[in-house]
Amino acid sequence: MELNMNLSGNLNLDNEQAALAGSIWHNALKIIQPQLAKMLFVTWVEPLVPFYVDENYLYLAVQDNFSYRYLLKYVNLFEEALAASNSFKLQVKLFVGNEGMQQALASIKASTFNNSTDNQSQVSDPGQPNLPLDSNNTARKDTQKTAINNTTETSTAESAGGYVTVERPSSPTSTKTTTAPTQTISSANQTTNSSPLAAEIVVNPLYQQHFRRDYRFDNFIVGPNNTMAHAACLAIANSYFNPGQKPYNPLFLYGGSGLGKTHLLNAVGNMVMQHRPNTKILYLQTEEFVNEFIATIRKQNYNVFRNKYRNCDLLLIDDIQFIEGKEQMQEEFFYTFNALYENNSYIIITCDKHPRYLVTLEDRLKTRFLSGLACDINPPTYETRMAILQARAQSLQENIDPDIISYIAKNISLNIRELEGALNSVLAIKHLSGYINLALAQKALEPVIKRNMEKTVSPDFIADVVANYYNVSKAQLYSRCKESKFTYPRHIAMYFCRELLDMTYADISQAFNRSDHTTTRNACLKIAKSLSSDLQLQKELANIQKSLHEQ
Ligand SMILES: Nc1ncnc2c1ncn2[C@@H]1O[C@H](COP(=O)(O)OP(=O)(O)OP(=O)(O)O)[C@@H](O)[C@H]1O
């Protein structure tokens, strides 16, 4: 794209300003050029167009968004060169394309006009569209980014009030740096409230997201299983209205099904939308991303796709494991990721496993996914499960016997979706029959609990717990050793495999390295028989069962 330097035109601005900007920049270039590789200088720096200067800023136009992002890391160098080559300090402001330049000039014109007619209105940054401020009159990170990106496209912030300074990294390696606003801002249509006025909220339709309203931080129960993931998500959400924070980017959340990954993604989206509705957020399931990309290939409209994904402020992408084995999609996502990362836009990715287990994922994506922070989410502890169930019952204004809650929490441990499902079943019985007690709940939940038990408890896990209880090693349990201090716990472990997992004697024998099924059968039957009269055995088995459930 060629930049058109018709500065005065309709805007009626003084061409002398452009000439002065040109001459100041020309001096600075003499210092900049020797410091950069020739290619870099010719490709990126020479095409910059100086088009305005005032007492604080030199305004430069860049060709496109990509150049803009690339050049941000050199702004400090430019400013140092300006200070060295001229006898005064200037900060650099970059604007994208003719449109960005025209917008900047229109703002300058408007502010000049306002200043001459209304002394109350001071403008600190004529280059940026009007943007809402936060409660400290501090420029907002999200809208700063929006403003920068939108100089060449539909602006989501154009109708808002206030001005900001440009956000830029202080060094090529820094991730997010926000410069504080340089002047106090006051204009007729600003708000100092953290919620922008309704009239200011013009959300680009591309980024109108509908988050699940019930997935919020305030109803997410934090326990030892998810503390890090929760804190990291909250930090990212906060960073959109608390410019001091610089959370890790990207954030990679991984863990089994139903453990709250989607809940956290939506919580971030809800919180940012609530406080900063102009933020360009994209939340999507990886499958949707893949489908959209396939449609893009069919229609050959790559620009639309890339503009949308590479220019958002926050990308929340759920279940990235679905990208496995899709080579072209991985390549596209690689470039999307890079563009967002360079633009200091946050990326949160969820997955059902650690990237190292995504066998057919390209290594360059794996390393990128792990370049920020990777947090696992584990199955909740018994206490967390209790808290989740209690909170859910309370939110539904349901009074449920604590024994029932405890029974569910004890018996369903791997998946919070199933935990909630069990509570819903109990509530359904309560509503249909007008009554619920523990026995009814146990009966109703029997199939689901059995299924859960099979998923949760493996023969190996039983061996672990039993060995631990009787203070022997698992190897001794699996060994052929016939000492009673080993055979007794071995038989108990076999008994649990039979009772809890419904395993055949053949399978149990195999699990415990035995070839003789009859011995296994006899061992299980002996334990079952003793159980009816042996109080000590009853106590031991109850304790072991408790440990098996409270993993
Ligand atoms: N810590 C928590 N506090 C309260 N509710 C939770 C918590 N974790 C999960 N949930 C609830 O459990 C259900 C399942 O969670 P979610 O859909 O976020 O899981 P997920 O990890 O994304 O699963 P999947 O990988 O299968 O998509 C949701 O209803 C969610 O609100």
Side-chain angles (χ1 to χ4, degrees), residues 215 219-221 226 256-263 319 388 416-417 420:
Y215 286 3
N219 63 359
F220 187 85
I221 306 291
N226 58 26
S257 179
L259 294 182
K261 301 181 295 293
T262 304
H263 189 129
D319 293 328
I388 289 172
I416 297 168
R417 197 177 289 118
E420 291 178 342

Side-chain angles (χ1 to χ4, degrees), residues 59 68 93-95 103-104 107 123 125-131 143-149 151 162-167:
Y59 299 82
Y68 171 85
K93 286 188 175 296
L94 300 176
F95 295 86
Q103 277 183 16
S107 292
V123 176
D125 179 358
Q128 298 296 326
N130 295 342
L131 299 169
T143 44
Q144 286 168 4
K145 289 194 289 185
T146 305
I148 290 158
N149 290 332
T151 47
Y163 292 98
V164 296
T165 54
V166 177
E167 174 192 26

Side-chain angles (χ1 to χ4, degrees), residues 99 146 149-158 202 204-205 280:
E99 208 182 318
T146 305
N149 290 332
N150 281 341
T151 47
T152 57
E153 58 191 60
T154 324
S155 172
T156 59
E158 271 172 359
V202 184
N204 185 328
K280 294 189 287 182

Side-chain angles (χ1 to χ4, degrees), residues 212 214-215 219-223 225-226 255-264 285 318-319 321 350-352 377 384 388 392 415-418 420:
R212 280 198 56 156
D214 51 335
Y215 286 3
N219 63 359
F220 187 85
I221 306 291
V222 183
N225 60 313
N226 58 26
S257 179
L259 294 182
K261 301 181 295 293
T262 304
H263 189 129
L264 281 174
Q285 296 284 332
D318 215 352
D319 293 328
Q321 68 271 13
T350 75
C351 189
D352 66 352
I377 305 189
T384 309
I388 289 172
R392 183 143 180 97
N415 184 323
I416 297 168
R417 197 177 289 118
E418 284 187 7
E420 291 178 342

